[in-house]
Amino acid sequence: MVKTIGIIGAMDLEIELLRDNMKLISKENIAGFNYCIGRIEGKNVILTCCGVGKVNAACCTQILIDRFKVDYIINSGIAGGLHKEVKICDLVISDNVTYHDVRKNQMRSCFPFKEYFEGDKYLIDVAIKACEITKKENYHVGRIVSGEYFVSDKNIKNNIIEEYNPHCVEMEGAAIGHVAYLNKIPFVVIRSISDNADNDANMDYDTFEKISAEVSAKLVLNMIDMI
Ligand code: ADE
């Protein structure tokens, strides 16, 4: 069976390289999201940009699943580094994703009764192999946390690290993983580090957002080739 891969980026710059490498067949706009239907590396791909934040990400992901029947979901983009070994422009592959702005107890006790959502083993494996084949050494497999705000404060950063022990922070991955889990669709989040989520985060972000978005998109291109 020919598989269809759904790729989501939050911002245009996070999907630019992928769109440049896409043989576009058609386009659809649903609920304000643009879905590019085409082929990348000879594979069927639906590429979309969900906008910033968890609700946008969740809505866009559900449409990707319902309307386009994707078999896999990959979220590509940038993130703030939280782990001491994670440096700017490094890659993080999601072992699992969760929210840093929802209490663990609520996650456990409310539907769908999950404290976190696990990345798909096969997709994680493909991502690791893609790093190794392209000799990208600075990659990490770990937890990615999402929340409704840009983290640029050392104290907030330290509180998140203490509670969740994550590798990086962003604003969509857990919502995408959550919706993928509900629909039983394998997913993985790939992020490259644009800043350290500290008091210099805004400055670093401006310098590195484009470079790190490309680092992530390049890995996803190689992954698509291998799926
Ligand atoms: N995306 C990139 N950097 C981030 C940060 N510091 N906080 C939240 N999302 C991000």
Side-chain angles (χ1 to χ4, degrees):
M1 257 289 274
V2 178
K3 304 284 189 193
T4 301
I5 308 163
I7 314 272
I8 308 176
M11 299 179 295
D12 209 51
L13 93 161
E14 292 174 311
I15 61 162
E16 217 173 282
L17 183 74
L18 290 152
R19 205 176 36 224
D20 290 347
N21 281 272
M22 182 176 224
K23 197 161 175 279
L24 188 69
I25 296 168
S26 62
K27 266 187 185 179
E28 270 191 59
N29 186 288
I30 306 167
F33 303 110
N34 278 319
Y35 293 87
C36 295
I37 300 138
R39 292 172 81 78
I40 297 179
E41 308 289 355
K43 309 288 163 59
N44 291 337
V45 171
I46 313 293
L47 179 65
T48 185
C49 184
C50 67
V52 172
K54 295 184 293 184
V55 175
N56 283 331
C59 183
C60 182
T61 305
Q62 189 63 55
I63 292 169
L64 192 58
I65 294 167
D66 285 345
R67 303 283 185 101
F68 299 99
K69 312 285 179 219
V70 293
D71 297 288
Y72 301 111
I73 293 176
I74 304 174
N75 171 218
S76 180
I78 61 181
L82 295 179
H83 194 282
K84 60 181 182 318
E85 278 169 20
V86 172
K87 307 280 187 280
I88 286 178
C89 287
D90 280 9
L91 275 165
V92 179
I93 301 162
S94 68
D95 180 23
N96 65 75
V97 295
T98 191
Y99 306 111
H100 67 75
D101 55 359
V102 181
R103 287 185 189 282
K104 283 182 185 170
N105 187 41
Q106 181 182 330
M107 296 290 285
R108 278 194 297 264
S109 59
C110 298
F111 179 82
F113 313 105
K114 296 278 290 180
E115 208 178 292
Y116 53 84
F117 304 99
E118 285 172 340
D120 178 67
K121 298 260 180 302
Y122 166 69
L123 291 176
I124 293 171
D125 227 47
V126 170
I128 293 170
K129 287 205 179 94
C131 286
E132 284 167 0
I133 283 169
T134 56
K135 304 209 181 323
K136 171 81 187 158
E137 283 166 6
N138 310 336
Y139 75 88
H140 314 263
V141 181
R143 168 172 284 181
I144 298 179
V145 291
S146 311
E148 217 52 67
Y149 55 89
F150 185 86
V151 179
S152 56
D153 178 296
K154 209 165 186 320
N155 293 327
I156 295 174
K157 169 179 173 164
N158 288 337
N159 289 341
I160 295 173
I161 292 172
E162 199 172 314
E163 187 157 1
Y164 295 97
N165 192 26
H167 274 60
C168 65
V169 60
E170 34 82 313
M171 299 173 69
E172 299 81 23
I176 293 167
H178 186 156
V179 174
Y181 169 79
L182 292 175
N183 290 273
K184 299 188 174 63
I185 304 293
F187 81 93
V188 72
V189 180
I190 307 292
R191 296 278 177 160
S192 176
I193 303 303
S194 56
D195 57 84
N196 291 312
D198 56 12
N199 298 37
D200 295 328
N202 284 300
M203 218 171 58
D204 289 339
Y205 183 96
D206 288 345
T207 312
F208 293 106
E209 59 172 344
K210 197 168 161 50
I211 304 168
S212 49
E214 265 193 33
V215 170
S216 179
K218 264 187 199 151
L219 182 79
V220 172
L221 273 180
N222 286 310
M223 285 178 68
I224 294 168
D225 193 28
M226 293 168 68
I227 287 174

